Amino acid sequence: MYFRKAVYLLYFFSFFVLLACQGKEINGELYACPMECEGVKTYDHPGTCPVCKMDLMKVSNIESPVLAEGDVPDESIFNLTSIWTTQNDNPIHLADLKGDVLVVVMLYTSCEAACPRLVADMKNIKTNVNDSDVKYVLVSIDPLKDTPERFREYAKEQQLSGDQWVMLQGTVDDVREFSNVLSMKYKKISPIDFSHTNIISVFDKNGVLTYQQEGLGVSYDKITEEVIKQTK
Amino acid sequence: MHKMKFILTVLIFLSCALMGKSQDKTDLKPIKGGYVAPLYGLDSAKVWVDDFQLDEFAVTNAQFLAFVKKNPEWQRSKVKSLFADESYLKQWTGDVTLASAMKPNSPVTNVSWFAAKSYCAFEDKRLPSMDEWEYAALASETKENAINDSLFNQRIVESYELPNTYLNTIGSTYKNYWGVYDMHGLVWEWTSDFNSVLISGESRNDGSADRNLFCAGAAISANNLRDYASFMRYAFRGSIKANYSIQTLGFRCAK
């Protein structure tokens, strides 16, 4: 009899040990990968997606599945799973920009030396290209300060109106990853300033890098030509 | 019947213990925060590094093999070209096979920054920042900061001159003050913000008047010109890209 009780106790105990072993909690909510890497598979505990490593989201929080339509090329930036916030407070994946040619620059809005010239370049390229199937994307390297609200002010200051302008705030980690995709370098050198390389990148409609213009004061004829080529 | 349950229970215990064991995680060593003087930057002042933990050893071939088995998207034939160049794991004989000449406990090399970052995230760790790495690397066997120890610096420079050290096994050099092995003399190591070194690329071909702002003064602002070893490390970091997979470049994780 005692033996039996002991076994049951042990059994119970081992059950809890197993739970502790996995380090996961069970609370009745279902979780799924926001990228649907495993289709409709759900988990009964939070964690990370075994495929893309994103945090699992509560199923009740996932409103609409976020998926790139069809396959994207291996070298496409749409393979990045990071989530960004636009100047209009909308969360997006880069893959949501699929279908448009992208002209991308990384900068920070409080920068007084190089960034205004970069934005001026972007504006000039936009005027010269004059095509609505192109998105002009500003990614902040100072995501702690460049909030959607700050970006909206910045858009006013710089007269960047219309939905062709996309301004993105990401996490410090995701911004670093994105800079590495562009081979762009930056470093925080004081509480307010960054040193950084000045690169404007062109991506085709599948998110594949096709051209980069480096430096300031470069003629933007070549990059304009490249953007126009990609829209066709 | 009871016996069965008992055996089952014991089995559960055992498998649980084995699960913990088989993960073969590298121990994290606590590093107490302090100041480090980065080689470059407009701020010649020292940078404060908070307390953090750093892997005792660099990640090994065997550990990375286990990682790609669990994460097939990081296998050689499946990795996306956005995340690794064609040299990725190029010495391996297959997706999940090391070359016979490779030692399981040698540091893994030919891994891109993206792969290294993903490995650390999978281990619930992260890559150390450049400042953290440099701070931990200041320590000799006996001192937490050996920057003024000319013999130690001399030894580092000499160790950089040795060929093919990536073929050696982890723990084969020295254990520093923090209990961390092989910070110098085994492999170069990825850091999370390696691309914050602005001494190559545009800083050379940008002819604008704002040169100093973008190239951060380059070598002239090197804080400690005696420290050739760190000059080499920064120059190396400034010359690589995140998808590069280099034979002499590995990594370790931090937390």
Side-chain angles (χ1 to χ4, degrees):
Chain A
M1 199 58 201
Y2 280 116
F3 180 67
R4 190 176 184 168
K5 256 188 188 165
V7 166
Y8 275 117
L9 267 176
L10 254 177
Y11 209 68
F12 256 94
F13 186 51
S14 66
F15 181 65
F16 284 111
V17 169
L18 247 194
L19 279 185
C21 220
Q22 295 190 318
K24 285 157 186 168
E25 55 185 272
I26 293 175
N27 56 12
E29 258 281 359
L30 287 177
Y31 295 81
C33 173
M35 295 301 289
E36 294 194 337
C37 291
E38 300 175 289
V40 293
K41 182 170 177 187
T42 55
Y43 297 82
D44 55 4
H45 50 74
T48 51
C49 170
V51 182
C52 69
K53 299 292 153 330
M54 282 180 66
D55 286 344
L56 299 177
M57 284 172 74
K58 285 183 183 169
V59 169
S60 54
N61 286 357
I62 303 177
E63 285 169 11
S64 57
V66 201
L67 257 190
E69 276 181 37
D71 284 341
V72 295
D74 270 9
E75 62 272 36
S76 168
I77 52 167
F78 300 152
N79 288 307
L80 294 172
T81 52
S82 43
I83 297 174
W84 303 77
T85 308
T86 69
Q87 74 268 35
N88 300 319
D89 289 302
N90 295 321
I92 65 165
H93 289 95
L94 294 173
D96 296 339
L97 300 171
K98 194 179 176 200
D100 282 332
V101 176
L102 305 177
V103 182
V104 179
V105 69
M106 295 184 83
L107 44 67
Y108 62 111
T109 65
S110 55
C111 157
E112 289 174 350
C115 309
R117 294 167 65 184
L118 283 172
V119 173
D121 274 0
M122 294 282 280
K123 284 198 268 193
N124 283 326
I125 295 165
K126 181 168 180 286
T127 308
N128 289 356
V129 171
N130 192 22
D131 188 315
S132 59
D133 289 339
V134 183
K135 289 264 193 298
Y136 296 85
V137 184
L138 275 50
V139 178
S140 173
I141 55 174
D142 191 5
L144 302 180
K145 290 215 186 77
D146 289 336
T147 59
E149 193 184 0
R150 170 69 197 126
F151 264 136
R152 288 197 292 272
E153 284 169 24
Y154 188 70
K156 262 186 210 154
E157 290 161 24
Q158 299 284 338
Q159 295 161 346
L160 313 174
S161 57
D163 59 6
Q164 278 185 271
W165 292 100
V166 180
M167 298 166 210
L168 300 179
Q169 178 195 31
T171 65
V172 172
D173 256 16
D174 291 339
V175 170
R176 184 58 74 179
E177 179 179 69
F178 191 63
S179 73
N180 272 322
V181 167
L182 300 185
S183 304
M184 185 267 189
K185 294 165 190 279
Y186 68 94
K187 178 182 174 65
K188 192 167 191 163
I189 52 172
S190 78
I192 49 163
D193 271 318
F194 289 76
S195 60
H196 59 98
T197 50
N198 299 302
I199 301 180
I200 299 179
S201 309
V202 180
F203 294 88
D204 70 14
K205 292 178 181 179
N206 282 317
V208 177
L209 183 68
T210 63
Y211 185 76
Q212 289 192 306
Q213 171 188 296
E214 289 193 38
L216 292 170
V218 183
S219 155
Y220 38 79
D221 291 350
K222 182 81 180 64
I223 193 166
T224 303
E225 201 179 291
E226 180 62 31
V227 177
I228 291 171
K229 195 173 100 193
Q230 291 305 330
T231 55
K232 285 178 181 151
Chain B
M1 189 65 190
H2 288 163
K3 231 176 193 171
M4 282 283 282
K5 272 182 189 161
F6 190 75
I7 289 168
L8 200 69
T9 309
V10 170
L11 273 178
I12 288 172
F13 267 117
L14 272 177
S15 63
C16 194
L18 281 173
M19 256 164 63
K21 199 98 182 184
S22 67
Q23 284 175 348
D24 186 26
K25 285 199 177 172
T26 303
D27 271 353
L28 284 159
K29 295 287 178 188
I31 315 270
K32 200 171 171 330
Y35 284 101
V36 64
L39 194 57
Y40 300 107
L42 292 180
D43 48 336
S44 54
K46 294 183 169 186
V47 174
W48 176 260
V49 174
D50 284 336
D51 292 1
F52 69 106
Q53 295 169 286
L54 188 63
D55 271 355
E56 184 177 16
F57 298 111
V59 174
T60 64
N61 285 325
Q63 287 171 326
F64 203 79
L65 178 64
F67 167 74
V68 300
K69 278 182 182 163
K70 286 182 207 146
N71 299 273
E73 75 272 22
W74 288 108
Q75 290 171 9
R76 197 177 63 178
S77 70
K78 299 190 182 100
V79 72
K80 297 220 181 332
S81 54
L82 184 69
F83 299 132
D85 67 10
E86 62 282 355
S87 297
Y88 181 70
L89 302 178
K90 74 169 178 191
Q91 305 212 326
W92 294 28
T93 49
D95 270 350
V96 289
T97 334
L98 302 175
S100 55
M102 294 171 81
K103 294 181 201 124
N105 60 343
S106 285
V108 66
T109 60
N110 288 120
V111 283
S112 68
W113 176 85
F114 295 102
K117 180 173 179 275
S118 187
Y119 176 96
C120 291
F122 187 71
E123 295 273 295
D124 198 20
K125 295 176 187 172
R126 59 179 174 80
L127 285 172
S129 72
M130 200 157 63
D131 288 340
E132 285 172 340
W133 196 98
E134 288 291 325
Y135 177 72
L138 288 175
S140 66
E141 288 91 335
T142 51
K143 279 180 260 179
E144 48 184 288
N145 185 343
I147 195 152
N148 293 319
D149 180 339
S150 55
L151 279 177
F152 180 67
N153 285 323
Q154 178 74 25
R155 241 174 55 205
I156 295 173
V157 176
E158 281 169 11
S159 75
Y160 286 177
E161 289 167 358
L162 297 172
N164 300 334
T165 51
Y166 69 94
L167 294 170
N168 297 339
T169 55
I170 55 163
S172 60
T173 66
Y174 69 103
K175 177 185 184 179
N176 78 8
Y177 176 85
W178 308 110
V180 172
Y181 287 83
D182 309 321
M183 290 301 279
H184 304 284
L186 191 64
V187 283
W188 302 105
E189 295 181 14
W190 283 113
T191 56
S192 61
D193 54 349
F194 78 95
N195 67 330
S196 60
V197 180
L198 286 94
I199 54 168
S200 72
E202 205 207 19
S203 64
R204 256 183 304 164
N205 59 35
D206 175 23
S208 76
D210 306 310
R211 186 182 200 103
N212 281 328
L213 188 61
F214 308 113
C215 66
I220 298 158
S221 70
N223 279 314
N224 183 354
L225 285 174
R226 287 172 304 169
D227 197 350
Y228 290 114
S230 73
F231 185 90
M232 285 168 76
R233 287 195 300 278
Y234 280 82
F236 178 67
R237 290 172 189 139
S239 70
I240 55 179
K241 292 183 179 179
N243 63 340
Y244 284 14
S245 309
I246 302 171
Q247 201 157 53
T248 52
L249 177 60
F251 68 101
R252 76 180 72 213
C253 307
K255 199 164 182 174

